[in-house]
């Protein structure tokens, strides 16, 4: 077999506690769709609850870093605000009342365990492709290191339509392998490992 490919870690990761963000571009929809579907199916199979998979879209791959950055930050503010509310309630409890608050306020949505940024860049006749690809790669890497939330790199950089289709498992000449499945697995693994 070829030397390339993703080796299984051998460990089973329980996705049930995870909350995952998927941001995908809308360029090259016929490739994007199976990639998103493949990542969702693998995450559901790992125990991630469907209601904990949030899917947002942007026009093109160039918009992925901005959307990931803002949505992750918003969820972190929301999660810490919820925690503050709970703390507030308990400090209120300490100072003025002895009865426990009637309904325990459970945060409706917390911060994301991981994010998958999905885009399909297909080389056109200009240099456009190179500039977008380079900027997006560096942008997504910076977001995950700055926020501590893993951002899985789900951007295909292809020279032809057929290359892109094959990497979504829907190639015309050969079906290929759906890389979205690998990204779903990576999101669950990193989501579990960064929560430890
Ligand atoms: O050019 N080709 C592509 C593309 N261009 C649009 C770009 O991402 C952005 O939306 C606009 O430049 C506006 O900022 N976006 C893609 O996802 N794939 C491509 O193959």
């Amino acid at each position: 077999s070829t030397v390339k490919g993703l080796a299984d870690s051998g460990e089973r990761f329980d996705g049930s506690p995870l909350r995952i963000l998927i941001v995908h571009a809308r360029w090259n929809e016929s490739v994007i769709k199976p990639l998103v579907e493949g990542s969702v199916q693998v995450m559901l199979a790992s125990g991630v609850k469907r209601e904990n998979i949030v899917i947002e879209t942007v026009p093109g791959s160039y918009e992925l870093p901005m959307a990931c950055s803002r949505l992750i930050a918003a969820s972190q503010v929301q999660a810490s605000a919820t925690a503050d509310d709970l703390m507030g309630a308990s400090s209120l409890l300490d100072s003025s009342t002895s009865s426990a608050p009637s309904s325990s306020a459970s945060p409706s949505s917390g911060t994301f365990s991981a994010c998958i940024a999905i885009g399909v860049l297909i080389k056109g006749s200009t240099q456009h492709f190179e500039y977008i690809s380079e900027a997006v790669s560096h942008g997504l890497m910076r977001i995950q290191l700055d926020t501590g939330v893993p951002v899985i790199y789900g951007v295909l950089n292809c020279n032809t339509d057929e290359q892109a289709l094959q990497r979504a498992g829907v190639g015309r000449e050969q079906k290929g392998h759906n890389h979205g499945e690998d990204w779903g697995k990576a999101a669950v693994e990193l989501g579990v490992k960064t929560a430890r």
Side-chain angles (χ1 to χ4, degrees), residues 30-115:
S30 59
V31 183
I32 290 284
K33 202 169 175 320
L35 289 171
V36 173
E37 197 50 37
S39 67
V40 169
Q41 289 310 317
V42 160
M43 291 193 286
L44 294 175
S46 302
V48 181
K49 299 180 181 67
R50 181 62 191 86
E51 62 268 23
N52 286 337
I53 299 176
V54 175
I55 301 178
E56 297 284 350
T57 79
V58 291
S61 297
Y62 190 79
E63 282 73 44
L64 287 171
M66 190 67 206
C68 292
S69 174
R70 295 297 293 268
L71 288 163
I72 289 170
S75 76
Q76 288 176 324
V77 166
Q78 195 178 31
S80 62
T82 309
D84 292 347
D85 295 347
L86 288 176
M87 290 304 290
S90 66
S91 62
L92 183 69
L93 190 63
D94 296 346
S95 59
S96 62
T97 64
S98 58
S99 62
S102 54
S103 66
S104 62
S106 63
S108 60
S109 55
T111 185
F112 292 112
S113 318
C115 169

Side-chain angles (χ1 to χ4, degrees), residues 25 27-28 59-63 119-122 128 132:
W27 264 70
N28 305 316
S61 297
Y62 190 79
E63 282 73 44
V120 177
L121 284 161
I122 299 178
H128 201 48
I132 298 174

Side-chain angles (χ1 to χ4, degrees), residues 138-156:
H138 289 296
L140 294 176
M141 177 59 75
R142 183 154 65 85
I143 292 162
Q144 74 173 338
L145 298 177
D146 287 355
T147 63
V149 174
V151 177
I152 305 306
Y153 183 70
V155 181
L156 295 183

